[in-house]
Structures are given as C-alpha cells and as structure tokens.
Amino acid sequence: MSSPLSFRITLALSLAGFSCFLLLYGTQPLLPQLTVAFGITPGSASLAVTAGTGMMALLLIPLSLIADRWGRERLMRIGLAGAAVFSLASAWAPDFWLLVVARAGLGVCIAGVPAAAMAYLGEELPAAERARAMGLYIGGNALGGMAGRLLAAAVSDWAGNWHDGLLAVSLLGLLVAVAFWRLLPPAAHFRPHSLQPRQLFADVRRIYADPGLPWLFCTAFLSMGTLVGLYNYLPFRLGLAPYELGPAAIGSIFLLYAVGSWSSAWAGRQVARHGRQRMQLLMALLMTAGIALTLATPLWLIVGALTLYTFGFFAVHSVASAWVGHRAGPRRGFVAALYLSSYYLGGSVVGTATGWAWSHAGWPGVTAAALLCAGAVIGIAWHLRRLAQ
C-alpha cells in the first residue's frame, strides 16, 4: 500500500498528465469545423493539433536539461498555467494562423511538464511503486485527452461554434493547474546535473549505446503517429455518408480514451507478472489488429476496432515509458525527454503526413499508413524480447 506522500505525488502528476492532454488535443474533434470556418483543407486544419505537439517535441529536450539543473516543480507549475493561458488565446483567435501560433505557444509551455513529471516520479517514489504510478500518470493522460475532446465537441455543438468549445476546455485546464500547484510536494531527492557540453555528449553517447533505449524511442515515435493519425481523420470519415454524424456524436468516439486510461494502469500491474517484453509484444499485436479492423463499414465494428486499438496503444505506451525509466540511469529527466520528444514528434510528423494519405486514398490510405507504423512497433517489440529487464 502506498504512503500518503506517494498518493499525493501520484495524484498531482496524474492531474498534470490530465491537463496536458486536455489542452493539447481540445482542437482535434473541431477539425471539421475549422476547415469550414477558415476555408482550409483537412491537412492544413490538422496544424491546430500538430503545432502544439511539434513544439513540444522540439523543446522537451532543452527544457528537460533546464529541469535537470534547476529543478522540476517550478517548470511544471509554470508550464501548466501558461498552457491554459495560450489555450484561452486560441479560443478567440480571429485568424487560423493566429490560432496555430497560440497552439504552438501552448506546446512550448507543456513541453516542460511530461519529462519533468516522469523524472520526478522516478526520483521521488520507491522502485516498487514506479510502474504502477507511471501507469496511473499515463491513465491521466488518456482521461485528459478524452475529456478535452468530449468537452470541446459537446460545447461547440451546443453553442454552434468552435470558440466556445475551446473556451470550456481552457477554463477546465486553468482549474486543474490551480489544483496541481496546491498538491505537488517539494522534491526530496532531486540532485542538480551538470550542463557542461562534455558531460552532455558523454551522456548522449551512453544513452544511444544502450541496447534498449533507442528502440523504445522509435516505439514512441511510431505508436504516437498512429494515434494522432487515426483520431485526427476519423471525424472526417464519420462526418461523411453513410454515417453523417454531428460534432457531439463524433466527439463521443473519444470516450474510448477511458479504455486507454484503464489499460495503462492495468499494463503497469501486469509487467510484474508477465515481464515487459511479453507485454509489449502482445499489446503491439492487439494495437495492430485494431487498426486493421477499422476498415470495416458497420459503425459498431469501427467502434469495436478502435476500442481494441486504444487499449493496445496505451498499454504499449505505459510499458515503454516505465521501461525507459527503468533503464535511464542517473539522467532520468534527459532520457525521459528523449523518449517524449520522439513520442510527440511522431504525433506531429506522422499525424500531419496522414493528412496526405486521407486526401489521396481516404480511410484505406489512413489505415495503410497506421499499419505500416504499427508493424514496425511489432518488429521492435520482437527484437527486444531477449533484452534484459
């Protein structure tokens, strides 16, 4: 049983993960509305999502180095509050490119949170509690992603415009930031690390010489690319015949993130019983099967397939994240940043590139792109099956 302090740490960081995904993906169910409101293509509209994830990917590493040197709590607190402010700005952007700039600013603020959170968990919690806490943290990510998408879709459908949908998400993000400021305990085990170039280059060489870490970074890139690609363009498919669903009905698809929240926590518990290698491979296979089944036409089967995919994806991410923390060594924040940078870069690059597949080949093109990435994740998991824990 965890101590009250461990519970408080886990709760605070789960709220941080909730807020990050809440704010970052609040625009995703609104992409069809943005294409109409601004007269742009679906691929261009996807920048309302990928501008934030792209800036996160670019700045995770430098901000993690700052956190390694000067501490993690301040960076996380300021980051969550700043992200809520930029989200509020994007809600009233009069021009699409101003909206993209505001979403990029949101990504800059959030970039300081995930790597610092992963490193904080690794430093402040006992080793026996880390996998479970990481699963709950990623479960918070999933719940935040679900809440942001549902809230934005429901409010925009009710109000008749996308502005109010983003406003609702932004205000919730601001409330969560206040709760996080009050809950997070001061770090007791943080030790500053050097920023001297010679030491940094030595750490980079050590990290990329590790037999597992670079492959886990690739897993993050590819798997997140499938998530953003599928969830970016599924609303466009469901808005067309024979489905012709409205924004609120399309937004309800993101209820499936609750499955991801549960699977993250579940996978964290199963690692102790079955091992990281076996869990990673099994969940990668499940994720891939779910992608393939989305080619079906009946709506109930599409939802079922997406449920399988979402369960598998969040389990893969949970296992890989904890595995990275286990192998990270003394530079936990830096290694976490490299992993998460790969994760969000995959969402930005593959997520935007999938727009080309949608424009040229429709949903079969999106599925083919996602299957290519998921097949590579299976190959990596198979390669890692003999890796020492």
Coordinates of all heavy atoms in Angstrom, one line a residue, residues 5 73 120 123-124 185-191:
L5 N 2.2 10.3 1.2 CA 3.0 11.2 0.3 C 3.0 10.6 -1.1 O 2.9 11.4 -2.1 CB 4.4 11.3 0.9 CG 5.4 12.2 0.1 CD1 4.9 13.6 0.0 CD2 6.8 12.1 0.6
E73 N 9.7 21.2 -10.1 CA 8.4 21.7 -9.7 C 8.0 23.0 -10.4 O 6.9 23.1 -10.9 CB 8.3 21.8 -8.2 CG 8.6 20.6 -7.4 CD 9.9 20.6 -6.8 OE1 10.9 20.8 -7.5 OE2 10.0 20.5 -5.6
Y120 N 10.5 13.1 -12.1 CA 10.0 13.3 -10.7 C 9.5 12.0 -10.1 O 9.8 11.7 -8.9 CB 9.0 14.4 -10.7 CG 8.5 14.9 -9.3 CD1 9.0 16.0 -8.7 CD2 7.5 14.2 -8.6 CE1 8.6 16.4 -7.5 CE2 7.1 14.6 -7.4 CZ 7.6 15.7 -6.8 OH 7.1 16.1 -5.6
E123 N 12.4 9.7 -9.3 CA 13.2 10.1 -8.2 C 12.5 10.1 -6.8 O 13.1 9.7 -5.8 CB 13.7 11.6 -8.4 CG 14.7 11.7 -9.5 CD 15.0 13.1 -9.9 OE1 14.2 14.0 -9.5 OE2 15.9 13.4 -10.7
E124 N 11.2 10.4 -6.8 CA 10.5 10.6 -5.5 C 9.8 9.4 -5.0 O 9.4 9.3 -3.8 CB 9.6 11.8 -5.6 CG 10.2 13.1 -6.0 CD 11.3 13.5 -5.1 OE1 11.1 13.3 -3.8 OE2 12.3 14.0 -5.5
P185 N 4.1 18.0 -3.9 CA 5.1 18.2 -2.8 C 6.4 18.7 -3.3 O 6.8 18.3 -4.4 CB 5.1 16.9 -2.1 CG 4.1 16.0 -2.7 CD 3.8 16.6 -4.1
P186 N 7.2 19.4 -2.5 CA 8.6 19.7 -2.9 C 9.4 18.4 -3.1 O 9.2 17.4 -2.4 CB 9.1 20.5 -1.7 CG 7.9 21.0 -1.0 CD 6.9 19.9 -1.2
A187 N 10.3 18.4 -4.0 CA 11.2 17.3 -4.3 C 12.1 17.1 -3.1 O 12.7 18.0 -2.6 CB 12.0 17.5 -5.6
A188 N 12.3 15.8 -2.7 CA 13.2 15.4 -1.6 C 14.5 14.8 -2.1 O 15.5 14.7 -1.3 CB 12.5 14.5 -0.6
H189 N 14.5 14.3 -3.3 CA 15.6 13.5 -3.8 C 16.3 14.1 -5.1 O 17.1 13.4 -5.7 CB 15.2 12.1 -4.1 CG 14.6 11.4 -2.9 ND1 15.3 11.0 -1.8 CD2 13.3 11.1 -2.6 CE1 14.5 10.5 -0.9 NE2 13.3 10.5 -1.4
F190 N 15.9 15.3 -5.4 CA 16.4 15.9 -6.6 C 17.9 16.3 -6.4 O 18.3 16.8 -5.3 CB 15.7 17.2 -7.0 CG 16.3 18.0 -8.1 CD1 16.3 17.5 -9.4 CD2 17.0 19.2 -7.8 CE1 16.9 18.3 -10.4 CE2 17.5 19.9 -8.8 CZ 17.5 19.5 -10.1
R191 N 18.8 16.0 -7.4 CA 20.2 16.4 -7.4 C 20.5 17.1 -8.7 O 20.2 16.5 -9.8 CB 21.1 15.2 -7.2 CG 20.9 14.4 -5.9 CD 21.3 15.3 -4.7 NE 21.2 14.6 -3.4 CZ 20.1 14.6 -2.7 NH1 19.0 15.3 -3.1 NH2 20.0 13.9 -1.5

